[in-house]
Amino acid sequence: MAARAQRVYALDSVVPLREAPQDSLRYFQSLTDVKLRSLKEPEWGIYIAESSKVIRRALATGHVPDSFIMSEKWADDLSDILRAYPEVPAYVGSEEELEQITGFHLHRGALAAMRRPEPAPLAKLLEGAQRIAILEDIVDHTNVGAIFRSAAALDVDVVLVTPRCADPLYRRSIRVSMGTVFQVPWARLETWPDALATIRELGFVTAAMALEEDSLSLTELAQRNDEKLAIVLGTEGHGLSRKTLENCDYTVMIPMSHGVDSLNVAAASAVTFWETRPKK
C-alpha cells in the first residue's frame, strides 16, 4: 500500500484529502440526503459517478469530470484516468476519511463529480429514433435506473422523463443502470402531457401502458410493428394520469395469470421493450 500511495501522490493533480480546501469537497458531502442531492446536483450542474466501472463508462461517452475523491487503493486502480485528466483535482484519503465526508462507507472506493451534459432539443434528439420510452412521474431512483438498463439492452433509442420524474443521473439510478444512463440519449420534458402533441407530430404512435377496458394486449401492439413507437410508463401506485391516457393513441396491457394484476414498472418495461422491438 505504501508503494501504491507513493505512485499516486507523485501525480500533480492528487491532493491528500486532509489538505483539501473545504469548498472543494462540497459536491461529495451528505451523499445520503436524497432530497437535498436531488435539488442541489442539477443546480450545480453536476452528478456523482460511483465506482471505477461507472466512472470509466461516463468518461468513455464523453462526459467531463470536475473532480475525483477516492481511497488510496482505488486511486492506484484509476491512476491511468488521473494521468489522462491532469487538470482535474483528485482528493485521496483513507476509507474512514471518505466516510466522514460522504456519510456512508464507499464499498467501491471512488467517486467523481461529473459535469451534466447540455440537453439536446427534443426534435433533434428524436431524429432517426424508432422506439422511445417516456417515464411519467416515476420517483423511485431504482426503478428509473432499471428501466434505463432495459432500454439500453432492448433497442430503445431515447428515454424521455417528465418534469416530476426522478433524476436519471442521481447516484442510485446510475448504479442500478450499471452506467447505461450514459449510453441511452435522454431528456427531461419541460411540459407534460402537452409534449405528447409534439411527439405525435414527429410521427410517433403513442402507447400508454395501463389497464383500461379497451386496452390492446401487448401482443396486439407488437403485431402492429409501428415504424415509430413511444411507450409511456407510469408510477406503480397511481399509474398514468387520466389526461395522459386521453392524449395517447392506445392504452396497452400485459396479460397476467394467477390473479396478478400488474408487474413492477421496471419489469413491465423490460417485457414491453422486448416485445415491441422493431421487427426487421
Side-chain angles (χ1 to χ4, degrees):
M1 180 65 73
R4 286 178 173 180
Q6 279 187 334
R7 287 200 299 271
V8 168
Y9 287 115
L11 298 173
D12 290 340
S13 61
V14 172
V15 178
L17 195 54
R18 60 184 174 276
E19 298 176 15
Q22 188 62 31
D23 188 57
S24 66
L25 301 176
R26 63 176 179 148
Y27 294 150
F28 304 105
Q29 293 173 330
S30 305
L31 289 180
T32 56
D33 191 330
V34 179
K35 288 185 177 179
L36 174 67
R37 302 298 306 192
S38 297
L39 290 171
K40 298 302 290 185
E41 288 182 13
E43 177 186 311
W44 288 331
I46 63 100
Y47 68 87
I48 299 296
E50 178 184 357
S51 83
S52 173
K53 180 182 290 186
V54 169
I55 291 170
R56 290 180 185 278
R57 284 192 174 180
L59 295 172
T61 53
H63 290 201
V64 178
D66 180 276
S67 54
F68 302 102
I69 185 172
M70 60 192 70
S71 66
E72 291 175 350
K73 172 187 173 182
W74 285 101
D76 185 66
D77 179 76
L78 286 163
S79 60
D80 60 317
I81 297 296
L82 302 184
R83 285 194 296 271
Y85 294 89
E87 74 287 358
V88 178
Y91 305 108
V92 178
S94 67
E95 293 183 0
E96 292 76 14
E97 288 174 322
L98 265 65
E99 185 171 351
Q100 287 178 1
I101 291 166
T102 63
F104 71 106
H105 180 67
L106 273 71
H107 297 288
R108 298 166 182 84
L111 300 168
M114 307 290 296
R115 297 174 194 164
R116 287 177 179 254
E118 290 294 324
L122 183 60
K124 183 174 178 58
L125 193 66
L126 298 185
E127 278 181 9
Q130 290 185 279
R131 296 292 181 269
I132 68 173
I134 304 173
L135 314 187
E136 181 186 83
D137 299 353
I138 298 176
V139 297
D140 185 286
H141 291 96
T142 298
N143 282 336
V144 170
I147 292 169
F148 265 85
R149 188 172 181 181
S150 295
L154 300 172
D155 296 326
V156 173
D157 301 303
V158 175
V159 176
L160 303 175
V161 301
T162 62
R164 290 198 296 256
C165 188
D167 182 9
L169 291 180
Y170 183 69
R171 186 169 53 92
R172 188 180 303 149
S173 298
I174 296 172
R175 186 171 68 242
V176 172
S177 81
M178 296 297 290
T180 56
V181 294
F182 310 134
Q183 297 172 234
V184 182
W186 70 275
R188 187 174 295 277
L189 298 167
E190 294 181 3
T191 60
W192 183 258
D194 299 347
L196 278 168
T198 301
I199 292 165
R200 294 172 72 182
E201 287 170 6
L202 292 170
F204 286 88
V205 171
T206 53
M209 303 304 296
L211 299 173
E212 298 288 299
E213 289 185 6
D214 59 349
S215 290
L216 299 178
S217 71
L218 182 56
T219 301
E220 289 172 324
L221 177 67
Q223 287 172 344
R224 289 175 47 87
N225 195 29
D226 292 294
E227 181 181 355
K228 300 171 80 170
L229 177 64
I231 298 161
V232 188
L233 299 152
T235 63
E236 290 187 69
H238 301 288
L240 294 166
S241 68
R242 179 51 51 185
K243 191 172 181 181
T244 296
L245 297 176
E246 291 170 353
N247 282 277
C248 284
D249 296 305
Y250 300 103
T251 56
V252 181
M253 62 177 288
I254 301 173
M256 299 282 139
S257 301
H258 305 297
V260 178
D261 61 356
S262 65
L263 297 173
N264 165 277
V265 66
S269 74
V271 172
T272 303
F273 297 161
W274 166 257
E275 191 68 17
T276 59
R277 69 198 187 283
K279 311 298 189 295
K280 305 299 184 185

